[in-house]
Every structure is written in structure tokens, then in C-alpha cells.
Amino acid sequence: MLLEIICFLCGAGLAVTGSLFFWPVHYWYDFYRPLLLFMAGCVASLAILFFIEWLAGLFVNQKKEYNKVSPWARFWLMNGLRFISNHAHIWVKTTGLNKVPQKEKFVLVCNHRSKFDNFVISLTFRNRDIAFISKVENSKIPIVGPFFPGVCYIPIDREDKLQSLQAFKRAVTLLQNDAVSIGVFPEGTRQTEKVIGDEFHEGVFNIAIHAKAPIVVTCMKNSDKVHKHWPFRATLVKYDVVAVIPYEEYQDMPAKQLSDTVHKMMEEHLARM
């Protein structure tokens, strides 16, 4: 919202000053002049803000493994996420947020339908630090990608099993050090045809098991419709916190059983949404 206000003020300022001093309105048919000035001011200010955002990203070391969230990276990331979500016309309706542990770090799992899922979750938990395990290519997303390392996002190469194992170990370390909560999409990839995949990758639940962290089970619906509705329609995305599973309740479960239990829980909830 801050970026939109800045753009509007810059456009309005140029329209007023331009109409008064260097491109004055003399007749009624000159109405287009302040309108063009307003649009030019908005576009110019937007370009400058994008440049500033890009410049801010240069101060985040892309090769460093951050052990705690950088306030600098977090500030710019959240502004970028808000800007993209606002202009994608995403409205979010949430339920069950009161179930989420307030002081304890956790592993958050969610079904995966869209590239906007991460944005919705991050903005919903904007007062919490949640680092996602995300494929390497996502770090190239304009505006927000350069800040991923600074907020402890963990890149993963799904084709490289050794690198994936190292990524999971890093997630466990961050949880044990109380640095961030960890967000994962246990299906491993976006589902384009189904609301939820047939099965989960059980390995992601080993993160919670080894870190002895609670699991926050969440479900999302309609995020796959954002790109279909844009730019003329808004999309109401429903995001529910289904349940929180404390470590004491699953400590004796193998990862496969825990994975199946969470999958069934999410599948039943999505059917009711």
C-alpha cells in the first residue's frame, strides 16, 4: 500500500504543478493534459521505486547462508509481496489463526496450487518469520527473489538428493536455533489439476521430527484462479489453519505415517472448504 500511495502522490503532484506552470489548461478540451501528467508521474515514480528495490537487493549477499533474518531483507521483501499481491487483486479470508503457537517456532505445511501461495502465507503471518524451502529458480522472481537469502529461505534442487538432504538439515538447524519457522509444500510441486496431490514427500516431515517442532497444518483454496481473473477481477483466496500437531502427539510415528495422517487431514478439510 505504501508504494501505491507514493505513486499516487507523485502523479497527483506532477499533474497539479504541470497544469499550473509548464503545461497549463486554457480550455475545456485541455483536460487530457493533467491526466497525461498524472499517468507520467505514476509511471516515473514506479520505475524509480523498482530501481530502489533492485538497489536494495544488492545489499543482500546471495551466496551467504544467513543464520537469522535480516531486518533489511525482511522489510523490502514484505513491501514487494504487498505490492505484487495488491496488484494481483488478491483478497484473503483466513480462519484458525488463533491455533498457531505464539512463541514457539513450527513447521508449516500447506497444499500447493499457485505461485502466489507463498505470498499469501507470508503476508498472513507477516508478524512471524517463516522461511520457505523453495526451488532454486524462485530466487530469480523479480522484486522479491533477491531478498530470499536474507530471510533464510532455503533453496532446494529436487534433482540433487544430496543437496536436498543438506537443505533439510539446514531447516532443522534453523528451527533448533529458534531462528525461523519453516514453511513447506509437501506435494513438492504445484498441482494444476487436483486440489491436493495423491501423496506427500515424507522427507519434509523428518524436519519436524528431528527438530521436535509442532506442525501447523494449513489449507489454501482459489489461489490457482488469480492469474485467470487478473487484471479485471479480484480473487478471494481462502486460507485456513486446520490444526496444530504438537511434537508429543507424533513423536512415536514414522515419517510415512505422519505424512499420511497430515495428507488425510488436509484432504478432508479441502473437501469441506
Side-chain angles (χ1 to χ4, degrees), residues 181-250:
S181 295
I182 298 296
V184 292
F185 299 105
E187 293 151 300
T189 187
R190 294 196 301 267
Q191 300 297 313
T192 56
E193 301 297 331
K194 301 178 180 179
V195 176
I196 189 171
D198 292 331
E199 59 181 21
F200 289 163
H201 292 283
E202 61 186 76
V204 301
F205 292 93
N206 280 316
I207 297 172
I209 291 172
H210 288 292
K212 300 181 179 180
I215 300 173
V216 177
V217 183
T218 69
C219 288
M220 192 176 303
K221 194 172 183 180
N222 294 339
S223 61
D224 57 309
K225 298 178 181 178
V226 174
H227 72 283
K228 300 175 183 177
H229 291 173
W230 190 85
F232 301 110
R233 293 175 57 191
T235 303
L236 177 62
V237 175
K238 297 180 180 180
Y239 183 55
D240 295 349
V241 176
V242 180
V244 176
I245 309 175
Y247 173 70
E248 292 74 20
E249 290 188 13
Y250 69 80

Side-chain angles (χ1 to χ4, degrees), residues 65-81:
E65 285 192 351
Y66 287 75
N67 294 319
K68 62 180 181 179
V69 173
S70 161
W72 172 267
R74 190 183 193 281
F75 171 81
W76 288 103
L77 174 65
M78 296 307 294
N79 274 291
L81 291 178

Side-chain angles (χ1 to χ4, degrees), residues 45-60:
S45 60
L46 189 61
I48 293 171
L49 288 170
F50 279 167
F51 175 74
I52 293 173
E53 185 96 3
W54 172 81
L55 197 63
L58 298 179
F59 291 89
V60 178

Side-chain angles (χ1 to χ4, degrees), residues 4-19 22-23 31-46:
E4 289 85 345
I5 292 174
I6 293 173
C7 290
F8 177 82
L9 292 177
C10 289
L14 183 61
V16 172
T17 56
S19 299
F22 60 85
W23 205 14
F31 72 91
Y32 67 90
R33 294 181 179 182
L35 182 61
L36 288 177
L37 288 169
F38 174 77
M39 294 173 62
C42 289
V43 171
S45 60
L46 189 61

Side-chain angles (χ1 to χ4, degrees), residues 40-132:
C42 289
V43 171
S45 60
L46 189 61
I48 293 171
L49 288 170
F50 279 167
F51 175 74
I52 293 173
E53 185 96 3
W54 172 81
L55 197 63
L58 298 179
F59 291 89
V60 178
N61 190 335
Q62 302 298 309
K63 296 182 179 180
K64 177 182 176 180
E65 285 192 351
Y66 287 75
N67 294 319
K68 62 180 181 179
V69 173
S70 161
W72 172 267
R74 190 183 193 281
F75 171 81
W76 288 103
L77 174 65
M78 296 307 294
N79 274 291
L81 291 178
R82 288 191 192 98
F83 180 83
I84 294 174
S85 297
N86 287 344
H87 286 270
H89 309 311
I90 299 174
W91 297 353
V92 183
K93 179 181 179 182
T94 59
T95 63
L97 294 181
N98 58 309
K99 302 175 185 177
V100 180
Q102 295 301 308
K103 297 181 179 180
E104 194 175 5
K105 295 297 187 291
F106 51 83
V107 174
L108 183 146
V109 297
C110 184
N111 61 310
H112 199 12
R113 298 302 310 278
S114 165
K115 56 189 175 184
F116 293 103
D117 295 347
N118 182 338
F119 298 3
V120 170
I121 296 171
S122 296
L123 290 173
T124 299
F125 293 96
R126 54 189 171 275
N127 296 323
R128 308 291 294 272
D129 290 324
I130 300 180
F132 282 85

